[in-house]
Amino acid sequence: MKILILGSGQVGSTVAQNLASMPNNDVTIIDIDETALHNLGSKLDVQTLHGNAASPMVLERAGAADADLMLALTRSDETNLVACKLGADMFNIPSRIARVRSVDYLEYQPDEEECGSSLKVFDVTESISPEQLVTERLAGLINYTSTLQVLRFADDKAKMVIVQAHKGGLLVNKEIAEINRHLPDNVDCQICAIYRNNRFIVPSAQTVIIEGDEVCFVAAAANVKTIMRELRPLEQRTRRVMIAGGGNIGYRLAKQLEAQYDIKIIEFNPGRAEWLAEHLDNALVLQGTATDESLLDEEYIDEIDVFCALTNDDENNIMASLLAKNLGAKRVIAIVNRSSYVDLLEGNKIDIVVSPHLVTIGSILAHIRRGDVVAVHPLRRGTAEAIEVVAHGDPQTSALVGRRVSEVKWPQGCHFAALVRDDEVIMGHKEDAVMADGDHLIFFVSRRRVLRELEKLIQVKMGFFG
C-alpha cells in the first residue's frame, strides 16, 4: 500500500513508525520541518519530502497519483482539508483521513440535502478530532473514580478498565478463581492482563492478585463498578471537579460534565474566561492561573475530588497538578504531550497522565488496520493494544465464524477478552461460545508484533464477496 503522511509531528511520526514496520507499505512523509524529516528518515524505512502539504506540486512529487491512502495530520486544519480536497479531485486518492481540531468544521451543518457536514465539501472520507477523543477519555476516567484507563467498545456496551489493586479489595491476595464467590449471578468479567512492577503476567484461574498490581479487565458497562469493588475498596463518589485550562478540551469536558458534577474551571485569558461564563450553564468560571496557590486555597482545593490540568503547556500542567495534589486534591489528572514526560510522571504524585497523541493514534490505526477493525487503543505507552473487530463471513470463508472460542489457535500474546452480540456481552473464558457473523470481538494484545497474525485471522476469504 502506498501511503502519504502529511505532517511529521508526534502523531504523524508515530503513525509512520507503525505503518513502516508493516510489510508491503510504501510510506512518504511531507512536512515543512527539514530537521524533523531528517530525523525520521534516518530512523525509519520511509521517504521524506520537504514542502507544503497543501501544494499540488509537492503532492505530485510525492507520488499522490499512485497513493492508496492519505493521512493529513499536520497541526493546521486548513492544510489538512485542502490536501484532502486536492487528493480527491486531482489525484484520485481512494481514502483520505484528516486530523481536524476546530469545532467549526466538525459541528457546522449546512443544508443536509445539499452537502451534509462541512467536511464533505473537502472530500474527507474520515475525520479525527484529537480534542473530542481526549475529552471522551477524560470523562471516562472521572465517571469511574480510581481507574487508570477506561476504554469503550461495541457502542459502550462493554468496557475495558485498568485499575490498581489496593488493600481492602475483595479479591486482593486471593486467586482469580474466587471472584465468582462475590459476584451476583448475572455479573461476569474477564481479567485479561496483569502488570506487576511493569512486568506482564498472563492471568489464569490460579493467579493471585496482590496489592499494587495493575489489573486489566473487560465487563459489561453496567457491571464495571461491581467488578472494581473486587480490586479496591469502594471510594466516595466524585462530586467536585476542578479544571485548569478553558481551551477546547477544558470547555468540552466542563460542558459534558456540568450537569453531573460541581465544576470549577480556571482560565488565565480574561476574554476566554468571559466567553466560557457565557457558554457554560452551571460551571463556575474563575479568571486566574492554576499555579496560584492562594487562588487554589480560596477555592477549597482540599475538597476537590478530581483536579484536571488541561492547558496547552506541559510544564504548567505538571506544576499545577503537583501543587493541587500537595494542597489536598484527592486525585489529579494531567494532559502531557511529550512522551518522555509521561513515563516519568504517571503513578507518582500525578495519578494519571493522558497523552493526546497516543489517544489520537489509536483512532487512526482503527481506520488503517486490515479487516473490519472498529477500535484500536494503545496501552502501556504503545507497547500493548486493545482491539475491537467485527467478525464477518461463514464457516467456509472465515477462520472465526461458526467456531468455538476454544477451537481457534490465537496468536501467542493475543488474548481473547470478550464477545458482544446485540446486547449480550460474553466473556472470553466462556470457551464454548460460538462466534457468529456480526459479532464484536475484543482482544488484549500484549505483544504488538503479533498484530499481523491477528489481522490474517480476522480477514474474510474472497469467496465471501463472490
Side-chain angles (χ1 to χ4, degrees):
M1 183 187 294
K2 183 168 178 55
I3 303 167
L4 290 185
I5 298 178
L6 316 183
S8 62
Q10 287 185 317
V11 173
S13 59
T14 309
V15 171
Q17 187 174 348
N18 275 271
L19 295 178
S21 64
M22 298 178 188
N24 305 319
N25 279 344
D26 178 6
V27 178
T28 300
I29 307 171
I30 304 173
D31 204 305
I32 55 175
D33 187 337
E34 284 189 277
T35 304
L37 289 175
H38 176 75
N39 291 337
L40 275 176
S42 63
K43 292 188 295 185
L44 305 175
D45 182 18
V46 297
Q47 299 176 61
T48 61
L49 182 61
H50 176 249
N52 181 357
S55 162
M57 294 180 67
V58 171
L59 291 173
E60 184 178 44
R61 280 169 32 219
D66 300 319
D68 302 298
L69 170 66
M70 172 186 281
L71 297 170
L73 307 176
T74 76
R75 298 178 188 274
S76 166
D77 287 355
E78 288 69 26
T79 298
N80 295 338
L81 295 173
V82 170
C84 283
K85 184 65 174 173
L86 293 173
D89 291 354
M90 298 184 68
F91 301 105
N92 199 29
I93 300 175
S95 185
R96 304 161 302 278
I97 299 174
R99 176 187 183 185
V100 182
R101 304 177 68 186
S102 172
V103 176
D104 292 344
Y105 291 120
L106 294 167
E107 297 184 357
Y108 177 68
Q109 295 283 338
D111 187 342
E112 291 286 344
E113 296 184 4
E114 288 286 329
C115 59
S117 78
S118 59
L119 292 181
K120 288 188 178 179
V121 173
F122 297 97
D123 285 318
V124 174
T125 51
E126 297 285 349
S127 65
I128 307 292
S129 170
E131 280 84 358
Q132 185 57 38
L133 294 170
V134 173
T135 301
E136 290 172 4
R137 180 67 57 86
L138 291 168
L141 292 169
I142 292 171
N143 287 330
Y144 292 92
T145 309
S146 305
T147 56
L148 299 174
Q149 290 247 41
V150 181
L151 309 174
R152 304 185 302 169
F153 296 99
D155 296 325
D156 209 18
K157 293 171 186 169
K159 283 186 166 73
M160 180 178 287
V161 176
I162 300 176
V163 64
Q164 190 171 50
H166 277 199
K167 185 178 179 181
L170 299 175
L171 196 59
V172 176
N173 296 324
K174 297 183 177 69
E175 292 184 351
I176 289 174
E178 294 193 36
I179 193 169
N180 291 326
R181 294 185 184 179
H182 313 134
L183 296 177
D185 292 339
N186 60 341
V187 175
D188 197 3
C189 78
Q190 174 74 32
I191 295 178
C192 41
I194 296 173
Y195 283 89
R196 183 173 297 163
N197 298 322
N198 288 321
R199 186 172 63 87
F200 173 68
I201 296 173
V202 179
S204 68
Q206 289 72 46
T207 302
V208 175
I209 293 175
I210 64 174
E211 187 176 3
D213 282 354
E214 288 186 21
V215 181
C216 173
F217 70 85
V218 173
N223 298 334
V224 167
K225 291 187 177 178
T226 303
I227 307 300
M228 284 179 61
R229 179 69 184 92
E230 296 290 315
L231 299 168
R232 57 187 303 139
L234 197 62
E235 296 189 0
Q236 193 174 8
R237 186 177 70 87
T238 298
R239 290 191 300 140
R240 301 179 184 90
V241 178
M242 180 176 284
I243 297 171
N248 286 340
I249 295 174
Y251 167 67
R252 283 171 180 259
L253 185 64
K255 192 73 174 174
Q256 187 170 330
L257 299 180
E258 63 178 350
Q260 302 168 254
Y261 304 103
D262 295 332
I263 303 287
K264 293 180 180 180
I265 183 167
I266 302 173
E267 169 56 41
F268 177 72
N269 184 288
R272 180 66 176 179
E274 189 174 335
W275 184 92
L276 290 168
E278 292 173 358
H279 288 80
L280 292 170
D281 298 321
N282 301 320
L284 174 64
V285 180
L286 305 166
Q287 195 274 311
T289 173
T291 53
D292 182 347
E293 185 174 346
S294 61
L295 174 61
L296 296 179
D297 273 333
E298 288 170 9
E299 296 302 328
Y300 304 102
I301 186 67
D302 58 324
E303 296 180 3
I304 293 296
D305 297 308
V306 183
F307 177 90
C308 300
L310 311 180
T311 74
N312 292 322
D313 186 287
D314 284 355
E315 285 75 15
N316 273 349
N317 289 341
I318 293 166
M319 295 309 297
S321 298
L322 293 174
L323 182 59
K325 189 74 170 181
N326 195 49
L327 293 175
K330 296 178 181 63
R331 191 166 172 79
V332 296
I333 301 172
I335 280 182
V336 176
N337 287 284
R338 291 181 63 174
S339 55
S340 57
Y341 284 3
V342 175
D343 295 338
L344 290 171
L345 295 166
E346 190 164 65
N348 294 314
K349 282 283 189 179
I350 299 176
D351 297 295
I352 299 179
V353 178
V354 175
S355 170
H357 80 274
L358 273 181
V359 176
T360 306
I361 287 161
S363 183
I364 294 169
L365 291 176
H367 292 298
I368 58 181
R369 287 272 165 80
R370 293 177 179 86
D372 196 348
V373 179
V374 180
V376 176
H377 298 285
L379 301 169
R380 306 291 302 181
R381 270 90 56 194
T383 58
E385 286 187 2
I387 301 174
E388 176 189 353
V389 305
V390 179
H392 286 308
D394 56 40
Q396 285 71 46
T397 59
S398 169
L400 302 180
V401 173
R403 290 168 176 78
R404 292 186 179 89
V405 172
S406 58
E407 291 180 311
V408 179
K409 186 178 179 182
W410 303 106
Q412 190 174 6
C414 173
H415 309 277
F416 181 71
L419 178 160
V420 182
R421 180 180 301 150
D422 299 324
D423 291 327
E424 186 182 11
V425 182
I426 302 168
M427 296 303 138
H429 60 79
K430 305 284 188 183
E431 295 193 337
D432 287 338
V434 177
M435 291 170 282
D437 179 58
D439 284 352
H440 288 244
L441 311 177
I442 303 168
F443 300 92
F444 178 90
V445 179
S446 60
R447 299 187 306 162
R448 296 184 66 251
R449 61 178 177 269
V450 307
L451 289 170
R452 182 71 178 150
E453 295 175 55
L454 179 60
E455 286 177 352
K456 288 181 180 177
L457 198 62
I458 63 178
Q459 282 178 3
V460 180
K461 296 173 187 173
M462 289 306 293
F464 178 60
F465 299 101

